Amino acid sequence: MVASKAQAKKAVTLAYENEDVEKINVFVNQKGYRTTPIIYLNGEAIPTSLTSQARPNQTLLNFLRTVCGLTGTKLGCGEGGCGACTVLISKYSKYSKDAGIDESECNGGGGGGNGRIVHMTVNACLFPVLAADGCHVTTVEGVGSWRSKYEGLTCEGAETAACGGGCGEEKKEDYLHPVQRAMVDIHGSQCGFCTPGIIMALYGLFAPEGKLLESGQSRVEGVGGGPKVSHLEEHLDGNLCRCTGYRPIWDAAKSLCVDAFDDEGVRGPCGTPCRECPERDTCEMDCNVKDKTNVNAGICCSSSSDKIRDYQKVLQSKHSETWWNQPNDMFPKELIPHRKNNVVNGDSGIDSIHAQTQEQLKKPLMIADSSIHCGGTWFQPVCLEELLDLFREFANDSGGIKMVVGNTEVGIETKFKHAVYPRMIHPSESIHSLYDIFSTESNFHIGACSSLSMLQHKCHEFMTSSSSDPLSSQKTRTAKPMHDMLRWFASTQIRNVACLGGNLATASPISDMNPLMAAMGAILVLASRPSADGAIKRRHIPVSDFFVGYRKVEKLEHEVIERVDVPLVKPQFEYVAPFKQARRREDDISIVTSGMRMTVTPAEENWVISDISIAFGGMAPKTVLARSTMASICGKPFTADTFMHARTELQNEFRMPDDVPGGQAEYRLTLACSFLHKFFLHCLAKLQKDVGSNKKKRYPPIPTIDDDECSGADGFVSKQKPCISGEQKFPAPKVAVGLEATHLADDESKSSEIPLAAKAVAEAKNSEKNDSTAVGKPATHASGPLHCTGEAIYADDIPAPANLLHGSLILATKCNATMRKIDVSPALNIAGVVAAFTHEDIEKLGGDNRMGPILLDEFAFLPKGEVVEFVGQPIGIVIGESQEIAETGARSVLVEYVEKEGKAVVSIEDAIEAGSFWTDFRHEIKRGGDSKVALNQSQVDGKKLVVVEGSFRCGGQEHFYLEPNSTLAIPSESGTNLTIYASTQAPTKTQDFCARVTNTPAAKVVVRMKRMGGGFGGKETRSVFSSVAAAVAAKLSNRPVRLTLNRDTDMSITGGRHAFLGIYKAGALVDQMSGSVKLHALDVQIYNNGGCKFDLTGPVLDRALFHIDNCYYWPHFHAVGTPCKTSQPPHTAFRGFGGPQGMAIAEHIIDHVAAECRISGDRLRRENLYCTNDCTPFGMRFGSQYTGAWNVPLMWDRLYNELDIPKRRAAASEFNKKNKWVKRGVGFIPTKFGIAFTAKYMNQGGALVHLYTDGTVLVSHGGTEMGA
């Protein structure tokens, strides 16, 4: 293998050479290009020795983590969907303020205010590092540091800084930024992996403004006045968190806003918070009476408003105003162009470095990668002629050339579709025709490369333009639909860099903006330069004719989209509306999207549709106009009947087969029809408004609709995003204080004799004496400051040891087939690939290739001749000098399969049909008599027996922990010892199988797990296989190996929550006299989809069986659980561990019984709750003398009354009667959840406690820090 590897390296040296390297001299000497990017990071220029390593195909995230060594910015999804990689890009720009791109004038900037410092948050996982040329990058490390807090301070000083004053000593400035401090103090982090990205997203929104104002201070005195809550709610849309539920994050963010109390903090109608009311003792308002009752009863109340109000006082005491202007103060003066009398951050002197930097930034940039990464070539022209010349020169060359602006689409293509673009062009902002947005008397002109955030803001400006502007109405009508659609387009981080031209050129069939542009009659301007000394040639083409096929457009290779011209909408009787439906509203691709435009003309007796345009995305392989539907409407009266017939025509025009790509054929067609009906309602409301505004003129009557139809006109696209807040009440916790605290409190002269840990307890007790609300306040997360500064280390953040290699798994691409042959030689022929290992190498080690948490039914690496049981099954591992090289090597491995006869067993129904079960683990629970016999009766004791039967399906779920599975395996002592740093919930299993598979004594395998970025059960067993693969590679190569799974790989092969199917027959006895209903008998069979390996499928199914009764007493009960074996990846533990699925089946059965018995679900549930001394079907008896007090009935009654459930249900029912298209409901169900394991030995725990002489304590236990 070594010899062939050497030969491969020699052969490939010529293969990956970049032919553009030879052209560098021509571009530098003849065309004035420079070859080194200029990037600033956290206030400092990145040295040339580092920027010279930046590659054209390298993301900013990869550069920050691997070249700069800054690991605070995390890799979550790698496609701009989670926000964990968010950083702030700041640059000097002539373009004005965006929604989501915040800016402020340079201090004393000069130049007539023509330039501004612009701050924008971006997804570093997509943003090209070379696109940051001429920019300042701020990462979470540059915002504030917890570590700096202790530098130069005594321990007492550190304590003082931490407490923010109040301990009697001199107060010191906090070293955390206010955004970071708020997230720590208001519990905004849990696992902490997403926290740096959220910090940076907030930091970007607060960047230009955000000084907390003193009471009564004018907003203009602050740095921009500070952001408002509505601004955050509108633009904080690009970050995911799997742990917190978002409320504490929102509370922390809103606590920093200047209008945090406009809608929060008022308890009663008097306008004063109850606990601050001067008439607190005598006030008889309900709010005050309830609050005093809670206080007297020892009830703690935690609400968003309380937290925000209390925290603003703390924040002002800990931070000075200078923090809020930090992004501007930190911005390098070298990046600000020099003008006469220019003053930069108080410095009017322009040094030579400044001048040289500015001179270099005026030049175009060319980077040609000649490394083993095959990064291609990067061009950044500074004028339109240069740009078009590059396209003319390279468009038809080998590999062509690709325009890259935000890389939001190209980045996806290169990462997930493995597209290769040898040349990329990133146009400079100095090419004004590509970035300008302006309006004329007839059109909006939108530069093709201007960001969507810029477009969104410009639309907002046009919508709010002065009423004295004669085009004000037209601008508003034109801008609003674009603005509304852009609000829901991806996320702020994506909109800040993505452009409309790229959206159009990509020609995605589910694009949000393309159908709207087509419907509005937009025209594309395509520019080209046929010859080097010739003029620029421009061609115009309607957007509706631009899309010719799936991801194909009517554009020549050497042409560039220069701008988009959108005709202004008429001042009246012309209406435009956008529509979109996705699985989630924010930051998600659409299922169906649409743009519709219509003009109506008054006739003698009615209104006539004189023009209409309807465009759809998601209904065909390209953006299409509904031409047949349009023809059926145009010229017809504007009535409900016209649109009803149009919907029928639309169904005929867009009928799709069931196997259409993307699926959901009927649903998509239904959405399209519903959009058309909503458009009719929308236009009807707008027409009424237009006619009402011109009462002097006589118009024909406007069509009328029923009142309950009006709700159909409303949609989320144009609505304000909702506000998030919450409140909870709980009994005050019981607190015990140790003897040391009592000793200190009584005699402070002896405090020097007391350990530091005891001091902390004493201070807590003393604070309780002075603060009656201290009891019940939760302590902040011990690692919270580290989470918020990016200093918390996760497995993939551990500094790279010497000679580190990166691994990538070789994964099966088929299932239900036998693996006949595997050829790793293509991988070994790739420069930078060091080795590839398969099951044969494990055999050479003498290791055991079998794995599994319960059954040893899995393989570390699938052997030849074995059946591939799921797509993505690990076959081996490739290790290389970088992760990109290892991934390329793994994809190049050739695997031959022999297809098996018959179809793969995929679903539970397939398993039932094929009899594919783990029959040894089929379990059964019985109580009472034979359920089948009990259900075959018609009456019991004179009461009618109502019987129902049916089925219930509960789908699976992805864990989506923000941190993908990651392992660093370090061999030592010639590979005889292994240290495994893993993101796992199961260190013991990891140690066991790493030792077993590598044939290493377990005593010589050390597993370290500091923290995880979320787990939710997904890293209990399914993390082990990746750690084992890394351990095998590390031992065989005798070099450290890091294996971090890509998000798509992690999601596709690690399994998730088990899907369930419940087939039931249930009966209830109805008392004809009283109307009461008592549950009688239940016979249910449940199946779960365990995937191809057993994993924890049996225990998960058992827990579902224990919860299939939920809180209800069934006298006759029979449940059978059967685990199904399918061709899916092994499914595993997930929050609830089968309990939620069992309870979901139970509640479905209750609802079915209630509907059949014609009784309310509330009543049926309450009358059939377990009572004290009742026993579950599995033998657990309720009652204090058995298993503890049974409180569910008491809790039901209390909540039912306090929440006034009947009133809420009546209100929802009344609302539903008045609204045909929008409905409301109230859910109220009880739950019980068992917390024990059926394997009794697992219900015990132990810990080793070390007490040190300074009073500190070390507890060694079997738990892991996973956040959730």
Side-chain angles (χ1 to χ4, degrees), residues 216 219 250 291 393 413 429 468 488 585 668 817 863 875 1046 1128 1134 1143:
R219 293 186 176 184
W250 277 109
D291 186 59
E393 179 177 356
E413 293 175 357
E429 270 195 11
S468 61
W488 306 98
R585 291 183 178 180
R668 286 154 66 181
I875 296 174
N1046 284 325
Q1128 294 188 16
F1134 204 122
M1143 287 188 283

Side-chain angles (χ1 to χ4, degrees), residues 656-806:
M656 295 176 285
D658 291 337
D659 60 349
V660 64
Q664 299 180 292
E666 289 298 323
Y667 178 58
R668 286 154 66 181
L669 187 57
T670 302
L671 281 177
C673 293
S674 71
F675 288 167
L676 187 58
H677 184 62
K678 289 175 73 70
F679 184 58
F680 166 70
L681 298 176
H682 168 85
C683 293
L684 185 60
K686 295 297 182 182
L687 178 60
Q688 291 172 341
K689 186 175 181 180
D690 280 352
V691 171
S693 64
N694 191 356
K695 297 181 179 180
K696 295 181 180 180
K697 190 172 181 180
R698 185 183 181 89
Y699 290 107
I702 300 173
T704 60
I705 57 173
D706 295 335
D707 291 341
D708 64 351
E709 285 272 359
C710 295
S711 61
D714 294 331
F716 73 89
V717 174
S718 58
K719 280 190 174 182
Q720 182 177 346
K721 295 185 180 181
C723 179
I724 296 176
S725 62
E727 179 179 296
Q728 60 190 117
K729 299 175 182 177
F730 51 92
K734 297 179 180 179
V735 179
V737 182
L739 293 175
E740 297 91 342
T742 304
H743 174 70
L744 271 178
D746 294 338
D747 189 354
E748 295 186 5
S749 64
K750 299 180 180 181
S751 61
S752 60
E753 304 173 10
I754 306 301
L756 293 176
K759 278 188 181 181
V761 177
E763 289 173 2
K765 182 182 179 183
N766 289 331
S767 67
E768 289 171 13
K769 294 180 179 179
N770 301 320
D771 184 2
S772 59
T773 63
V775 176
K777 285 191 174 181
T780 59
H781 196 305
S783 296
L786 300 177
H787 294 161
C788 294
T789 59
E791 293 167 297
I793 301 298
Y794 298 82
D796 196 41
D797 301 336
I798 298 172
N803 299 316
L804 175 69
L805 296 173
H806 297 263

Side-chain angles (χ1 to χ4, degrees), residues 389-467:
D389 286 346
L390 288 170
F391 268 90
R392 185 188 65 253
E393 179 177 356
F394 295 112
N396 297 315
D397 202 354
S398 59
I401 193 164
K402 190 75 172 179
M403 175 93 84
V404 174
V405 178
N407 203 45
T408 55
E409 181 65 28
V410 174
I412 299 298
E413 293 175 357
T414 55
K415 182 174 179 63
F416 296 102
K417 299 179 181 179
H418 314 301
V420 177
Y421 299 111
R423 298 179 187 89
M424 290 177 280
I425 292 183
H426 178 72
S428 168
E429 270 195 11
S430 59
I431 308 177
H432 301 308
S433 63
L434 294 180
Y435 289 91
D436 284 340
I437 301 176
F438 59 94
S439 66
T440 60
E441 292 183 356
S442 58
N443 288 284
F444 272 171
H445 300 280
I446 305 168
C449 294
S450 60
S451 71
L452 296 179
S453 285
M454 177 70 77
L455 176 58
Q456 183 182 359
H457 174 68
K458 284 295 184 181
C459 287
H460 181 73
E461 280 188 353
F462 293 139
M463 290 162 56
T464 56
S465 59
S466 171
S467 57

